[in-house]
Amino acid sequence: MALVKDNILLQCIRGSLGDQLTIYERNGQIIIAKKRGPSKNKPTIKQLEARYKMKIAAAYALAILEDPELKAYYKSLAGPGQNAYNMAVKDAYKSPEVQNIRFEEETVIVTAKDEFRVAAVEIRVVNKVGNIQERGNAVLSRNGVDWHYKATSLPPGGKVIIVAVDLPGNETVKELSIGG
């Protein structure tokens, strides 16, 4: 790879030269690199999964470009050399993280984070037989990471199922048993 400085001939050229070189611009700099060809190796299961995940992320990113509000949100997070599309792909590629679940009397408090934004946290209270006793959406607290859900009751021997969802719809599910 070579960086080109002050070359009038290469200021307007982009693309491949035969099977040898590729000329492109990145962050305002012109780069000349050896042209890469397709791999001759069969893709691994992990590579196929990554390709599928990227395909879904790219489809989400294209869809958000049609929504002016979401496009503006992602564009506001973009750094130098990035755009709303890049940020949307990055967001769609990673699921939110449920970091902590705790109880304060009948209130379930969930700490959930995402590099961009957690859109919703749903709480399901399940009794010890396995039936859903109640469900509902938690409310985001002022600190921006804790979500609160006031349950009518937390049955001993049951469990609480937490579903954290980010803007692209990626879900993270965690369960916590209720003592008793």
Side-chain angles (χ1 to χ4, degrees):
M1 178 177 81
L3 299 176
V4 178
K5 296 184 181 201
D6 297 331
N7 186 315
I8 294 174
L9 176 64
L10 296 177
Q11 292 296 322
C12 300
I13 297 175
R14 300 292 177 272
S16 296
L17 297 174
D19 291 334
Q20 307 250 326
L21 299 173
T22 300
I23 302 169
Y24 60 97
E25 187 172 343
R26 180 80 173 172
N27 293 331
Q29 291 190 320
I30 299 170
I31 299 171
I32 299 178
K34 179 182 174 190
K35 184 172 180 184
R36 293 184 56 186
S39 174
K40 294 181 183 8
N41 299 333
K42 187 176 178 184
T44 65
I45 299 293
K46 276 189 160 185
Q47 286 173 326
L48 291 172
E49 288 171 357
R51 288 176 188 175
Y52 178 75
K53 200 171 179 181
M54 183 57 79
K55 187 176 183 179
I56 298 298
Y60 170 74
L62 285 174
I64 70 102
L65 293 178
E66 303 298 319
D67 183 336
E69 191 176 305
L70 279 176
K71 183 178 179 179
Y73 169 71
Y74 284 115
K75 188 173 183 174
S76 72
L77 300 171
Q82 297 175 321
N83 55 35
Y85 177 85
N86 301 136
M87 295 293 97
V89 167
K90 187 176 182 181
D91 189 16
Y93 204 76
K94 214 170 169 197
S95 298
E97 180 183 348
V98 175
Q99 296 180 324
N100 189 22
I101 305 164
R102 66 184 189 279
F103 302 107
E104 288 182 8
E105 296 174 13
E106 300 297 313
T107 302
V108 180
I109 302 171
V110 178
T111 303
K113 285 189 175 181
D114 188 73
E115 188 172 343
F116 294 87
R117 182 167 70 194
V118 176
V121 173
E122 181 190 27
I123 309 293
R124 299 176 193 151
V125 179
V126 180
N127 61 23
K128 66 179 171 182
V129 188
N131 298 326
I132 295 178
Q133 185 172 305
E134 67 177 283
R135 71 178 344 158
N137 290 324
V139 178
L140 183 62
S141 69
R142 287 185 163 180
N143 69 8
V145 292
D146 287 337
W147 295 75
H148 295 255
Y149 178 77
K150 179 76 172 152
T152 53
S153 70
L154 296 172
K159 62 183 172 183
V160 174
I161 301 171
I162 289 87
V163 181
V165 182
D166 63 4
L167 286 175
N170 296 321
E171 292 184 352
T172 299
V173 180
K174 292 275 183 165
E175 294 184 10
L176 184 65
S177 297
I178 302 168

